Amino acid sequence: MQDVVAVVLAAGKGTRMISDLPKVMHRAGGKYLVQHVLDTLSAAGVSRVVLVVGHGANLVQEGLGDGYRYVRQAEQLGTGHAVAQVEKAVDPAERNVLVVCGDMPLLKSSTLQKLIEQHRQREAAATVLTARVRNPVGYGRVLRDPHNHLQRIVEEKDATAGEKEIEEVNTGTYCFDRDSLFSALKKIEPHNVQQEYYLTDVLPILQGKGLRVEILEGAEEEEALGVNSRQQLAEVEQILRQRTLQRIMVEGVTIVDPGTTFIDAEVSIAPDTIIYPFTFLEGKTRIGGKCELGPMTRIVNSVLGNGIRVQNSIILDSQIEDDCNIGPFAYLRPETYLARGVKVGDFVELKKSRVGENSKIPHLSYVGDAIVGVGVNIGCGTITCNYDGVNKHPTIIEDGAFIGSNSNLVAPIKIGAYATTGAGSTITKDVPDQGLAVERSKQKIISNWSQRRGKE
Ligand code: UD1
Ligand code: CA
């Protein structure tokens, strides 16, 4: 669609959010509101995008990156004023201008495609996307003439009691012929209750010139939902969550209780995985098949293979290969890598560590900045002492090593292949392959101790 440019309106403050963040940078379903709109455009095949930014412009640009054109609207004087700012940023090949609001994350790509298609087919100067809604409060109402053509759009604040009864609303989404749009924008005036330049006022101007203005009553009620308040943000979150859960179930995943399962829009899960209640899968997480996740598990931006069991645990920015068993109550911090068949048990924290195939860290351990080989057993209560108060140091534990319970491994340190450390040892020197390191005082026995204390 090289002849279509999308203009995304994202300059407004969102006064009713009561927030330091610009409205479009609030998150729902794990993404910025405006990112949903951008992804929908991309799914609809619209790759040319201009964003109108103003309030919190730097935050928006930093958050979304350099992949888009940005135009500043210094003062937010209305939607018509916002669109007028992009005239110079639109290039001559871009004949059709698709306008969308950055605060409407539920809009579907198929609806945008229908809008563009109808607009082209009918060679209209403008096509407005409308929806019929049960509660039209807050929206612009669509007034039609006796031939059912658009007469004009009236904003809630300017509407008479009778006009407020109308249930057909403007979704704030339009397709325009570029030249017609920019010439009509020069004629709009802020003669309304809000003293703003309304984009909707270009429609009667175009009709006055004898140009064709069309309506596509083609959006579902929920697609029209814009976020103007925290209540609407929660409503949108709920709907996005349902959509994601539906998609994931259709793809062959069991969700035991959709009411208590929270999965972000970009997460993917392969078939026959089972998700137990109170599980959160966030960000760009990818999960393989035949896993069992939860209950009470949070996995963020991580990649898991197949056949993995995770219960009551947290996994952040990590990668886990097939058949690992994690938890209950494990905490895997960023940059953890577990090879196949690793067991990480209860009350174990891992940070920035690689653990080789079939190694076990079954209970009560801290392993940080470590490289652990294949088939290693790390006994209960082991601690890698990786921090000297100034710097972090590495611990290397080679294949087949056996770390006795309650060992402290003071890094930097290397435990050789098939080496052993005695339980309760504080190991400060490298241990050679096959060797045993014990560091603890000899046990003393004092006979008849109780009798001597006069207790017996
Ligand atoms: C607008 C429409 C209304 C429609 C509704 C759908 C107008 C006059 N009204 O009303 O008919 O039913 O959307 O949600 O167009 N923005 C800017 N710069 C500005 C003003 C707004 O970029 O100067 C952006 C906002 O950030 C937002 C979008 O435009 O993303 C819509 O603005 P908003 O103030 O929410 O318009 P509504 O009053 O909802
Ligand atoms: Ca709005």
Side-chain angles (χ1 to χ4, degrees), residues 73-93:
Q73 183 193 20
E75 264 185 296
Q76 283 74 62
L77 302 178
T79 48
H81 180 260
V83 175
Q85 309 306 304
V86 309
E87 183 168 4
K88 292 203 177 69
V90 169
D91 78 45

Side-chain angles (χ1 to χ4, degrees), residues 415-432:
I415 312 296
Y418 300 94
T420 301
T421 68
S425 298
T426 294
I427 306 295
T428 52
K429 296 194 198 95
D430 288 357
V431 182

Side-chain angles (χ1 to χ4, degrees), residues 164-215:
K164 283 183 185 161
E165 300 284 306
I166 297 170
E167 289 178 334
E168 187 182 7
V169 301
N170 172 23
T171 63
T173 313
Y174 324 76
C175 201
F176 290 102
D177 167 65
R178 186 201 49 216
D179 296 338
S180 310
L181 170 66
F182 291 116
S183 70
L185 277 172
K186 296 190 173 81
K187 302 201 177 85
I188 59 173
E189 291 185 57
H191 294 153
N192 50 59
V193 173
Q194 305 187 80
Q195 302 195 318
E196 285 184 4
Y197 293 89
Y198 288 168
L199 177 58
T200 44
D201 286 349
V202 306
L203 303 169
I205 293 174
L206 294 172
Q207 275 173 325
K209 286 185 179 171
L211 296 169
R212 193 188 279 263
V213 173
E214 293 281 335
I215 297 176

Side-chain angles (χ1 to χ4, degrees), residues 147-417:
H147 307 289
N148 224 16
H149 291 133
L150 182 83
Q151 194 183 359
R152 65 192 168 88
I153 289 169
V154 60
E155 292 306 300
E156 170 91 26
K157 288 182 179 139
D158 304 303
T160 63
E163 289 165 344
K164 283 183 185 161
E165 300 284 306
I166 297 170
E167 289 178 334
E168 187 182 7
V169 301
N170 172 23
T171 63
T173 313
Y174 324 76
C175 201
F176 290 102
D177 167 65
R178 186 201 49 216
D179 296 338
S180 310
L181 170 66
F182 291 116
S183 70
L185 277 172
K186 296 190 173 81
K187 302 201 177 85
I188 59 173
E189 291 185 57
H191 294 153
N192 50 59
V193 173
Q194 305 187 80
Q195 302 195 318
E196 285 184 4
Y197 293 89
Y198 288 168
L199 177 58
T200 44
D201 286 349
V202 306
L203 303 169
I205 293 174
L206 294 172
Q207 275 173 325
K209 286 185 179 171
L211 296 169
R212 193 188 279 263
V213 173
E214 293 281 335
I215 297 176
L216 172 63
E217 192 191 317
E220 289 162 26
E221 176 160 9
E222 77 176 29
E223 292 183 86
L225 234 178
V227 175
N228 300 301
S229 64
R230 305 271 180 171
Q231 289 89 329
Q232 286 171 326
L233 184 65
E235 228 175 295
V236 159
E237 174 79 49
Q238 185 83 5
I239 294 168
L240 285 169
R241 193 150 77 82
Q242 293 312 324
R243 278 191 193 174
T244 304
L245 292 171
Q246 291 301 326
R247 166 179 66 83
I248 282 172
M249 289 189 276
V250 165
E251 289 169 359
V253 173
T254 294
I255 294 177
V256 174
D257 180 14
T260 57
T261 304
F262 301 80
I263 302 182
D264 283 351
E266 289 179 274
V267 171
S268 72
I269 310 176
D272 282 331
T273 283
I274 300 175
I275 306 195
Y276 292 99
F278 300 104
T279 293
F280 298 74
L281 305 177
E282 301 175 31
K284 295 192 191 304
T285 292
R286 281 188 285 135
I287 310 276
K290 300 191 170 61
C291 295
E292 288 185 36
L293 309 181
M296 314 249 182
T297 286
R298 177 165 181 242
I299 303 178
V300 183
N301 290 325
S302 295
V303 179
L304 275 66
N306 302 309
I308 293 167
R309 178 88 182 94
V310 186
Q311 352 176 18
N312 299 65
S313 292
I314 297 177
I315 301 178
L316 310 175
D317 300 292
S318 291
Q319 189 180 340
I320 320 283
E321 302 291 357
D322 297 354
D323 304 320
C324 288
N325 192 342
I326 296 165
F329 313 112
Y331 181 26
L332 273 56
R333 291 167 53 200
E335 294 183 55
T336 294
Y337 172 84
L338 306 185
R340 268 183 103 97
V342 167
K343 175 176 174 57
V344 174
D346 51 281
F347 306 103
V348 171
E349 175 175 339
L350 291 175
K351 188 215 84 176
K352 211 174 181 179
S353 292
R354 296 178 67 85
V355 181
E357 273 184 36
N358 299 321
S359 288
K360 294 186 171 67
I361 315 174
H363 358 248
L364 298 160
S365 291
Y366 170 65
V367 174
D369 303 307
I371 298 175
V372 177
V374 172
V376 169
N377 192 309
I378 297 189
C380 179
T382 295
I383 291 172
T384 56
C385 310
N386 62 328
Y387 186 47
D388 60 13
V390 182
N391 294 307
K392 302 278 170 69
H393 300 286
T395 298
I396 295 169
I397 303 174
E398 297 196 322
D399 296 352
F402 183 94
I403 309 299
S405 293
N406 207 26
S407 291
N408 299 311
L409 307 177
V410 181
I413 194 146
K414 186 169 119 182
I415 312 296

